């Protein structure tokens, strides 16, 4: 259906453009996207842009001109943006106390407003339950809750955003309504937004944009977004403008929340975490979101670390059009990740996109430690090309390196059911101080995980683990660090998105290939030791574990068969590898015997039937005087070793040169010593087996 729209040039009379732009520069018509009379052709993609001032006499009223730039110019543009954001707000509990402590009437009024709104809603739910109308009134109450959170302002909107991604906590009606809080909030006047852009960037609106949408295309908790076209490059951009008065609104709320946190810390015994510290950490993140230059820097860092994958997209930042309250970034077309029908209409699958998100999140959490802490559906888009685009980099966090390694080790200990090691992991995770005795925690972990692990690890639901660990945490003096709370938020959001498409989706099942790849290929000593711990138990090598790791690791697109052989091999021949060498020698003897036995048995089975009695001396069980159990064990070991080699050989990036490092290492003196020990062990084993064959009486035929 064709529509007719009115377009107006974004230009001003010359008399109004000689001084600082005023309200008269705003276009009053808001019915359509406003285009300039002369369109500017877009430049070819892939170029890097900067800005420079046009050469003209008199006061400048034109925006910076985009030209090709190098890294140095880009850094200068970023420095100018930082200068514009020099007065951005920074979270300070002391400042909140001094500011709002002297405003008791405003604080009390806000407390009454919040308690009245939430208390009334809770009482309404209580009445619905008493009348038996809970199911019938779900949609109505969900709409009411969305309205309440919206009226209470940005702090409570963020709470609603978190709930909107938790189908395990909220009914579908609530999820649908609360998802509107992600980018469909009430807007503030466009005139105020445009005035903010001009004030922050220092140029008239019409000199910067050839087109800007007359109204926001999205409104979030802290700001609203306009679609625009840069005048001098034709580049489509998203321009985010901060809500006026936002610092005062959230500052007052956090002052109240800190007061509640103090009361909880003092009087609520079953909550062992420092609630005030968690509130302070959350408040710091929110205040960082108020500095749009910081958000731009976050986006650049995120792009550098994670956009190297072809299926991850991160928009670039235009520093000359960015300040503390205005952020200009590359425009990206896409569909929110919870809009399953729209995604499938493009020929894409939601679960494929969620898996991309999970793999990227695992890299964020466990590889580099720098992660997006607010990945709700409004911040993650599916592009028509099937890429996953991340937006809104205001709330970021970092996982300490020791904790990143401890998380992977924790998974290994969980698989091994090594609950003592799991309990010790909480030291590295900073859950417990080193002087706390973990021995009482072990039975609690055993009681929970023995039941949970009756299923395979890949079948465990992330929420099941979080809830189970939560019950343990509440019983003991745990202190949950702030970064861990944000990790839980990030992973539960992703699991929540997946559950929209598949109620049986398991985050751990999708995550296990990444864990397997890291264990097999990462040279970090902690992870190398974790791999050895996983593969060896009671002096025996668990080939089934290695096979499973290879099966899972191959599913990760970054898996390298060549790298999978290196970390343990280096330890094996190193000065600290004597214990491992002893285990490897023993296992090498077992494998050699199994392969030799299998080859001999295959040869025996291939000869004509009339020859077999002469070879086996008339025995119905063949030439080897072995019990059926010994025979099956050796053949199973032989077949498993061959399967493992097949997995390595058929890897996508397999190269025969994979054996070259082993050949090189075998030429070293330490390897020759190891080889002679293996050869000696094999000789002794075959001698013992030969003596056993000679002395053992022939096995009876079946049925005798």
């Amino acid at each position: 259906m064709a529509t007719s729209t009115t377009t107006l040039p974004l230009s001003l009379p010359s008399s109004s453009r000689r001084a600082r732009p005023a309200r008269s520069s705003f276009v009053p018509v808001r019915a359509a996207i406003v285009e300039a009379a002369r369109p500017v052709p877009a430049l070819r993609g892939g170029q890097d842009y900067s800005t420079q001032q046009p050469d003209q006499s008199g006061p400048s009223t034109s925006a910076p001109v985009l030209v090709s730039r190098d890294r140095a110019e880009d850094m200068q543009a970023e420095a100018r943006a930082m200068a514009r954001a020099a007065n951005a707000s920074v979270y300070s509990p002391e400042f909140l106390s001094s500011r709002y402590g002297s405003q008791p009437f405003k604080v009390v009024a806000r407390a009454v407003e919040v308690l009245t709104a939430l208390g009334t809603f809770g009482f309404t739910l209580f009445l619905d339950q008493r009348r038996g109308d809970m199911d019938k009134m779900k949609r109505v109450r969900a709409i009411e809750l969305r309205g309440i959170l919206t009226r209470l302002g940005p702090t409570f909107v963020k709470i609603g955003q978190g709930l909107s991604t938790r189908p395990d906590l909220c009914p579908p009606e609530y999820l649908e309504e609360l998802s509107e809080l992600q980018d469909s909030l009430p807007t503030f006047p466009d005139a105020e937004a445009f005035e903010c852009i001009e004030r922050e960037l220092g140029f008239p609106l019409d000199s910067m944009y050839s087109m800007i949408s007359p109204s926001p295309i999205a409104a979030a908790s802290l700001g609203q977004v306009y679609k625009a076209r840069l005048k001098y490059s034709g580049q489509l951009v998203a321009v985010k403008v901060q809500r006026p008065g936002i610092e005062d609104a959230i500052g007052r709320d956090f002052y109240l929340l800190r007061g509640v946190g103090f009361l909880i810390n003092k009087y609520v015994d079953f909550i062992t975490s420092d609630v005030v510290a968690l509130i302070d950490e959350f408040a710091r993140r929110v205040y960082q979101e108020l500095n749009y230059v910081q958000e731009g820097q976050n986006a650049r860092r995120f792009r550098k670390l994670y956009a190297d994958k072809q299926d991850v997209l991160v928009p670039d930042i235009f520093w000359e059009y960015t300040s503390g309250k205005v952020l200009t970034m590359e425009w990206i077309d896409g569909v929110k990740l919870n809009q399953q029908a729209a995604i499938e209409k493009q020929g894409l699958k939601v679960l494929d996109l969620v898996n991309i998100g999970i793999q990227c999140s695992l890299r964020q959490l466990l590889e580099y430690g720098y992660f997006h802490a607010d990945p709700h559906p409004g911040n993650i888009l599916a592009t028509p090309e099937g890429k996953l685009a991340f937006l809104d980099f205001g709330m970021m966090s970092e996982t300490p390196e020791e904790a990143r390694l401890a998380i992977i080790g924790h998974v290994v200990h969980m698989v091994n059911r090594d609950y003592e090691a799991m309990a010790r992991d909480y030291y590295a995770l900073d859950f417990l101080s080193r002087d706390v005795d973990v021995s009482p925690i072990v039975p609690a972990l055993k009681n929970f995980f023995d039941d949970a692990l009756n299923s395979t690890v890949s079948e465990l639901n992330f929420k099941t683990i979080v809830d189970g660990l939560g019950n343990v945490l509440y019983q003991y003096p745990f202190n949950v660090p702030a970064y861990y709370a944000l990790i839980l938020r990030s992973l539960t959001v992703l699991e929540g998105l997946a559950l929209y498409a598949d109620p049986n989706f398991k985050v751990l099942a999708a995550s296990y290939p990444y864990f397997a790849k890291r264990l097999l290929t990462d040279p970090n000593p902690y992870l190398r030791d974790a791999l050895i711990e996983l593969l060896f138990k009671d002096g025996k090598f668990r080939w089934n574990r290695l096979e499973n790791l290879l099966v899972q690791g191959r599913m990760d697109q970054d898996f390298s068969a060549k790298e999978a052989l290196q970390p343990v091999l280096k330890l094996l021949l190193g000065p600290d590898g004597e214990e491992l060498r002893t285990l490897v020698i023993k296992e090498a003897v077992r494998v050699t015997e199994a392969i030799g036995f299998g080859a001999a048995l295959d040869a025996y089975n291939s000869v004509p039937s009339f020859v077999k009695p002469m070879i086996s001396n008339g025995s119905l069980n063949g030439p080897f005087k072995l019990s059926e159990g010994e025979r099956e064990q050796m053949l199973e070991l032989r077949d498993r070793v061959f399967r493992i080699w097949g997995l390595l050989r058929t890897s996508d990036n397999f190269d025969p040169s994979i054996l070259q490092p082993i050949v090189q290492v075998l030429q070293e003196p330490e390897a020759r010593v190891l080889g002679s020990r293996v050869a000696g062990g094999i000789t002794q084993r075959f001698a013992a087996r030969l003596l056993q064959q000679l002395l053992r009486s022939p096995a009876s035929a079946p049925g005798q």
Side-chain angles (χ1 to χ4, degrees), residues 204-404:
L205 208 65
D206 68 307
S207 68
M208 293 183 284
Y209 310 113
S210 61
M211 175 275 289
I212 189 167
S213 56
S215 58
I217 51 93
S221 54
L222 304 183
Q224 57 194 37
V225 180
Y226 295 85
K227 185 177 183 179
R229 189 183 297 276
L230 295 179
K231 189 169 186 178
Y232 290 97
S233 72
Q235 178 83 32
L236 275 177
V237 294
V239 183
K240 184 160 73 169
V241 188
Q242 195 171 110
R243 289 180 179 272
I246 190 74
E247 295 103 327
D248 186 61
I250 65 172
R252 188 170 56 244
D253 284 343
F254 280 121
Y255 176 75
L256 284 171
L257 288 174
R258 290 189 93 249
V260 174
F262 276 117
L263 294 175
I264 292 174
N265 283 349
K266 187 173 183 179
Y267 297 110
V268 182
D269 294 333
F270 67 88
I271 297 180
T272 58
S273 297
D274 187 342
V275 177
V276 173
L278 293 174
I279 292 172
D280 284 342
E281 178 66 19
F282 180 62
R284 287 189 192 94
R285 304 297 176 188
V286 173
Y287 268 79
Q288 285 179 6
E289 289 189 71
L290 296 179
N291 184 347
Y292 285 175
V293 171
Q294 178 65 55
E295 180 175 344
Q297 292 172 328
N298 293 344
R300 276 290 179 88
R301 182 180 177 188
F302 191 91
R303 178 187 175 103
K304 180 180 179 181
L305 291 176
Y306 308 116
D308 58 328
K309 303 301 179 186
Q310 61 180 6
D311 45 16
V312 175
L313 184 62
V314 179
D316 201 4
I317 305 299
F318 294 84
W319 292 116
E320 292 290 5
Y321 298 88
T322 295
S323 72
K325 296 184 178 180
V326 176
L327 176 64
T328 302
M329 64 172 59
E330 176 186 359
W331 178 267
I332 292 179
D333 288 309
V335 180
K336 288 194 296 185
L337 211 55
N338 62 349
Q339 296 179 345
Q340 184 174 353
I343 290 174
E344 292 178 349
K345 189 176 180 180
Q346 295 180 341
L348 306 174
K349 294 181 179 179
V350 174
L351 288 182
D352 290 343
L353 292 162
V354 169
N355 272 311
I356 293 173
I358 289 173
Q359 298 307 312
C360 184
S361 293
L362 289 169
R363 292 185 70 206
Q364 294 173 49
L365 299 172
L366 302 177
E367 200 161 323
Y368 295 105
Y370 185 68
F371 66 94
H372 195 304
D374 191 24
H376 63 70
N379 290 340
I380 307 177
L381 301 180
T383 71
E385 300 79 23
K387 295 184 177 183
L388 203 64
F390 286 82
L391 308 175
D392 195 349
F393 300 90
M395 185 175 289
M396 310 295 290
S397 189
E398 294 195 55
T399 312
E401 182 179 11
E402 185 180 13
R404 298 200 298 268

Side-chain angles (χ1 to χ4, degrees), residues 51 195 236 241 261 277 417 440 447 463 490 558 582 587 608 618 640 667 675:
T51 59
E195 183 180 22
L236 275 177
V241 188
R417 303 193 185 206
N447 290 337
K463 178 183 178 297
S490 179
D558 295 327
T582 302
E587 200 60 33
R640 193 179 294 276
Q667 297 173 358

Side-chain angles (χ1 to χ4, degrees), residues 359-599:
Q359 298 307 312
C360 184
S361 293
L362 289 169
R363 292 185 70 206
Q364 294 173 49
L365 299 172
L366 302 177
E367 200 161 323
Y368 295 105
Y370 185 68
F371 66 94
H372 195 304
D374 191 24
H376 63 70
N379 290 340
I380 307 177
L381 301 180
T383 71
E385 300 79 23
K387 295 184 177 183
L388 203 64
F390 286 82
L391 308 175
D392 195 349
F393 300 90
M395 185 175 289
M396 310 295 290
S397 189
E398 294 195 55
T399 312
E401 182 179 11
E402 185 180 13
R404 298 200 298 268
L405 299 175
I407 290 172
I408 298 176
H410 203 61
V411 172
V412 172
H413 298 148
M414 181 178 69
V415 172
N416 283 346
R417 303 193 185 206
D418 188 348
Y419 302 121
E420 292 184 2
M422 285 183 71
R424 290 193 298 271
D425 289 336
Y426 297 128
Y427 293 139
L429 289 169
D430 203 23
F431 280 26
L432 295 170
S433 61
R434 298 282 178 175
D435 58 350
V436 174
D437 180 18
V438 296
S439 55
I441 302 172
V442 175
L445 291 173
K446 178 177 174 59
N447 290 337
F448 167 66
F449 280 106
D450 275 349
D451 290 335
L453 292 174
N454 285 335
S455 302
T456 63
V457 173
S458 62
E459 292 176 348
L460 279 175
N461 188 294
F462 183 71
K463 178 183 178 297
T464 302
I465 292 182
V466 171
D467 290 346
L469 283 176
N471 292 332
V472 175
L473 298 183
Y474 288 135
Q475 299 175 39
Y476 299 96
F478 281 89
N479 180 38
V480 179
Y483 77 84
Y484 183 75
L486 291 172
I487 287 176
L488 291 185
R489 171 181 166 81
S490 179
L491 291 179
T492 50
V493 163
L494 284 168
E495 186 167 62
L497 290 171
L499 291 175
Y500 278 112
D502 181 4
N504 297 315
F505 185 85
K506 302 293 185 293
V507 163
L508 285 179
S511 304
Y512 204 62
Y514 175 86
F515 283 96
K517 180 211 60 174
R518 285 290 301 275
L519 285 170
L520 287 168
T521 62
D522 199 309
N524 183 282
Y526 183 93
L527 296 184
R528 180 198 61 200
D529 292 344
L531 174 62
I532 293 171
E533 181 182 338
L534 185 67
L535 296 180
F536 286 93
K537 184 178 182 181
D538 299 330
K540 291 186 178 180
F541 190 85
R542 293 186 283 188
W543 290 93
N544 61 321
R545 287 283 173 84
L546 178 58
E547 182 179 9
N548 185 47
L549 283 174
L550 287 169
V551 169
Q552 294 291 330
R554 277 162 43 99
M555 297 179 187
D556 189 285
Q557 60 183 2
D558 295 327
F559 175 76
S560 169
K562 183 175 182 179
E563 293 178 2
L565 297 176
Q566 302 310 309
V568 174
L569 182 63
K570 290 179 180 178
L571 174 64
L572 179 65
L573 300 176
D576 300 324
E578 178 57 34
E579 183 178 355
L580 178 62
R581 284 192 287 272
T582 302
L583 295 173
V584 168
I585 291 169
K586 183 189 298 184
E587 200 60 33
V589 171
R590 286 185 64 233
V591 170
T592 303
E593 180 188 32
I595 293 175
F597 170 76

